[in-house]
Amino acid sequence: NPRFLHHAGQDEFVSAGGLIKHSSEYNDLEDNDVRDQHVLVLGGSKSATDIAAHLYTRGAGGVSLVMRRNVWRIPYFIGNLVNSKHLLYMRAQEVQFSSWRDPTSVLGSILSCIAAPVIWLNFRMLELLLIVQLGLRKWKMVPKTKIEDEVSCEIPVVTQGLFESFESGDVRPVKSTIERYEVKNDGTKIVQLENGEAIQAHVV
């Protein structure tokens, strides 16, 4: 079931004509709902970035992608050459992840200790490559976590066209989250973020 968040001022925002939708309801939106309107997309999941990158093709007047925290994202081709699944999702690569090792295996523990520096360096080089390839520093999207801590569970694939939409200005990434909704006396609808920024938006 979809998980809906509720923030202060939300009912007034909707009463003033604003639209608040869950990502599962995205296809229910009419093009007229977003055409020439500023849309705020909340979240950094794959579905959120898919929607943000797609909105400008529907004529949205602008898109703000608001994320509470930065996460590692893997492009289909790392360095534009190597398929990411060959580096991370092969059976032979399981030794890289401590949570996947057999703790009862003495030999395995010894080999893990020997390989630990190489594995550590491998992940740091991968992080550096992703930072450069995706321009994460430019967009202030470098995660604080180690990539191996995320990739051993799940890690989103980069949405096609996402970083290109950042470059074109069609989508603007913002690290924050919603604090409250406001409706000004003139009917202007505002989404106030926890970082102090106020974004005028018609659809969230």
Side-chain angles (χ1 to χ4, degrees):
N1 293 328
R3 178 171 174 263
F4 289 89
L5 301 176
H6 194 281
H7 299 90
Q10 183 168 318
D11 295 338
E12 292 78 5
F13 180 89
V14 174
S15 295
L19 298 175
I20 300 177
K21 299 290 185 180
H22 189 271
S23 59
S24 62
E25 302 174 301
Y26 176 65
N27 290 329
D28 296 334
L29 284 171
E30 301 289 340
D31 286 344
N32 287 336
D33 293 330
V34 300
R35 184 173 293 116
D36 299 325
Q37 301 288 349
H38 194 92
V39 183
L40 186 151
V41 178
L42 181 63
S45 65
K46 181 65 164 61
S47 59
T49 57
D50 285 349
I51 289 172
H54 186 258
L55 272 165
Y56 74 92
T57 69
R58 300 183 67 178
V63 180
S64 295
L65 177 62
V66 178
M67 301 167 284
R68 181 185 293 275
R69 70 182 186 93
N70 295 323
V71 299
W72 290 106
R73 305 171 195 280
I74 296 291
Y76 286 105
F77 289 91
I78 297 176
N80 296 316
L81 294 172
V82 182
N83 193 310
S84 59
K85 65 183 180 182
H86 295 325
L87 289 179
L88 298 171
Y89 301 113
M90 294 173 61
R91 179 68 65 179
Q93 302 293 349
E94 291 183 1
V95 69
Q96 297 180 103
F97 307 108
S98 58
S99 61
W100 293 2
R101 299 175 197 140
D102 182 2
T104 64
S105 172
V106 176
L107 178 60
S109 297
I110 295 173
L111 291 175
S112 295
C113 290
I114 296 173
V118 177
I119 293 172
W120 181 90
L121 181 61
N122 172 60
F123 280 122
R124 301 295 77 76
M125 293 300 294
L126 177 59
E127 289 175 351
L128 180 60
L129 184 57
L130 293 177
I131 289 170
V132 173
Q133 180 178 341
L134 301 177
L136 298 182
R137 293 196 192 282
K138 177 179 181 179
W139 306 114
K140 299 179 180 179
M141 292 177 66
V142 179
K144 294 182 178 180
T145 56
K146 295 179 180 178
I147 193 169
E148 61 266 35
D149 293 339
E150 294 189 21
V151 77
S152 61
C153 299
E154 60 179 356
I155 189 166
V157 174
V158 174
T159 295
Q160 186 175 0
L162 178 66
F163 286 89
E164 290 81 357
S165 68
F166 292 169
E167 288 286 354
S168 66
D170 293 304
V171 179
R172 184 174 68 95
V174 182
K175 186 182 178 184
S176 189
T177 191
I178 295 175
E179 181 180 89
R180 66 183 183 276
Y181 295 89
E182 295 179 1
V183 179
K184 301 299 184 182
N185 292 333
D186 62 359
T188 301
K189 295 177 285 296
I190 300 293
V191 182
Q192 185 68 46
L193 304 183
E194 288 186 354
N195 66 358
E197 183 175 352
I199 297 177
Q200 183 176 336
H202 177 68
V203 183
V204 178

